[in-house]
C-alpha cells in the first residue's frame, strides 16, 4: 500500500493536514497522521514508531514547530538522527515549521478570513510582519490577536487547512512542507509504474 505517514508534534497539525491533503494528493496514496503530545513526546517515540511501522512502502514526514529554539538546522538534524536510528532514513523527510504551525496560516490571511469568517482580514497581508510570517516571534499569539481570539488550535487548523493556498510562498517553511509532500507522492506513484 502506497502510504504517506505524518509524525506530528500535536493534534492541530493533524487537523490541518487532514483537511489540506485530500485537495493535493492522488487517490492512490493513503495517508496516516500520527500526532504526539508535544515535541518531547515526538522525539522520544519517533525512532520506535518508524522502526516498528510494518508497511514497507510507507514514506514518513516528520513535522514539528521550531518554537523558540534558536537553530532550525540543529532541530532538523536531531530529528534526522532519530530517523537514521530507525533504519529507515531513506524513507523519511523532516520539516520544521518556523516558528509555529500558525505561521502557515498567517502567510495566507485570505484562507483565515474565509475559514473564520472575519471580513477584511486578507487586507492585513500587506502589513510588513504578515508578508514574511516565518520571522514572527510567536505566530500563535499573533493569530489569536488578529482574529480577536476566534482562532482555536484544532478547530481553526481544520477549517483553515481546507482553504490554504498550496502555491503560497510567503512562508518558506510551508512551501518546503508542500514540496516534501509532492516529492514523496511522486516517489510512491513512480514506484507503481
Amino acid at each position: 500500500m502506497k502510504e504517506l505517514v505524518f509524525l506530528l508534534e500535536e493534534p492541530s497539525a493533524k487537523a490541518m493536514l487532514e483537511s489540506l491533503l485530500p485537495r493535493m494528493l492522488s487517490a492512490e496514496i493513503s495517508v496516516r497522521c500520527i500526532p504526539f503530545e508535544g515535541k518531547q513526546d515526538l522525539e522520544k517515540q519517533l525512532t520506535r514508531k518508524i522502526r516498528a511501522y510494518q508497511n514497507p512502502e510507507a514514506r514518513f514526514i516528520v513535522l514539528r514547530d521550531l518554537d523558540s529554539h534558536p537553530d532550525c538546522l540543529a532541530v532538523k538534524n536531531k530529528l534526522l538522527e532519530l530517523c537514521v536510528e530507525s533504519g529507515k532514513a531513506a524513507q523519511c523527510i523532516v520539516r520544521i515549521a518556523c516558528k509555529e504551525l500558525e505561521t502557515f496560516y498567517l502567510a495566507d490571511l485570505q484562507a483565515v478570513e474565509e475559514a473564520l469568517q472575519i471580513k477584511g482580514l486578507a487586507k492585513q497581508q500587506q502589513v510588513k510582519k504578515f508578508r514574511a510570517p516565518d520571522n514572527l516571534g510567536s505566530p500563535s499569539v499573533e493569530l489569536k490577536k488578529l482574529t480577536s481570539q476566534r482562532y482555536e488550535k484544532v478547530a481553526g487548523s481544520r477549517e483553515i487547512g481546507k482553504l490554504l493556498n498550496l502555491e503560497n510562498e510567503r512562508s518558506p517553511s510551508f512551501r518546503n512542507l508542500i514540496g516534501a509532500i509532492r516529492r514523496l507522492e511522486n516517489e510512491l506513484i513512480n514506484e507503481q509504474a
Side-chain angles (χ1 to χ4, degrees):
M1 176 174 60
K2 307 298 181 187
E3 184 177 28
L4 275 180
V5 179
F6 292 85
L7 299 127
L8 309 163
E9 177 183 335
E10 58 189 331
S12 59
K14 178 182 181 203
M16 183 272 290
L17 287 169
E18 286 179 341
S19 62
L20 178 131
L21 293 172
R23 292 190 291 129
M24 67 178 290
L25 289 177
S26 163
E28 303 170 55
I29 308 296
S30 296
V31 172
R32 182 166 184 200
C33 293
I34 303 172
F36 292 86
E37 300 296 324
K39 56 185 168 278
Q40 290 177 340
D41 186 40
L42 169 69
E43 291 173 5
K44 183 178 174 187
Q45 296 193 53
L46 186 64
T47 300
R48 183 180 56 80
K49 282 281 187 189
I50 294 173
R51 183 183 299 140
Y53 210 81
Q54 295 297 308
N55 181 358
E57 295 176 301
R59 299 294 184 272
F60 303 91
I61 294 180
V62 180
L63 176 64
R64 73 156 267 195
D65 291 349
L66 180 61
D67 292 324
S68 60
H69 198 288
D71 188 346
C72 183
L73 198 54
V75 171
K76 185 175 181 177
N77 285 338
K78 182 177 182 182
L79 292 169
L80 285 171
E81 286 174 20
L82 296 171
C83 294
V84 168
E85 289 174 21
S86 76
K88 297 180 181 177
Q91 291 89 20
C92 298
I93 291 181
V94 173
R95 289 294 177 253
I96 308 296
C98 297
K99 307 273 185 175
E100 301 171 326
L101 189 67
E102 285 79 5
T103 303
F104 301 169
Y105 311 156
L106 289 171
D108 190 351
L109 292 177
Q110 181 67 47
V112 177
E113 177 178 321
E114 291 176 38
L116 302 183
Q117 300 176 357
I118 302 172
K119 289 186 179 180
L121 206 55
K123 291 178 186 171
Q124 297 291 319
Q125 200 74 69
Q126 297 311 312
V127 174
K128 185 178 178 182
K129 64 182 174 182
F130 299 128
R131 289 191 301 238
D134 281 20
N135 298 328
L136 289 169
S138 182
S140 60
V141 171
E142 288 287 342
L143 187 57
K144 282 210 172 250
K145 191 165 49 173
L146 189 64
T147 63
S148 301
Q149 309 297 320
R150 288 175 63 179
Y151 169 72
E152 294 180 25
K153 274 184 122 21
V154 175
S157 293
R158 184 176 300 111
E159 293 307 311
I160 295 168
K162 293 176 188 172
L163 300 165
L164 285 173
N165 178 355
L166 301 174
E167 307 305 321
N168 187 336
E169 299 202 351
R170 278 185 208 96
S171 166
S173 58
F174 178 72
R175 183 185 64 228
N176 289 336
L177 173 64
I178 297 300
I181 294 168
R182 288 183 169 143
R183 187 170 109 201
L184 290 184
E185 177 188 31
N186 287 335
E187 206 176 287
L188 288 167
I189 288 172
N190 289 333
E191 280 185 358
Q192 290 177 329

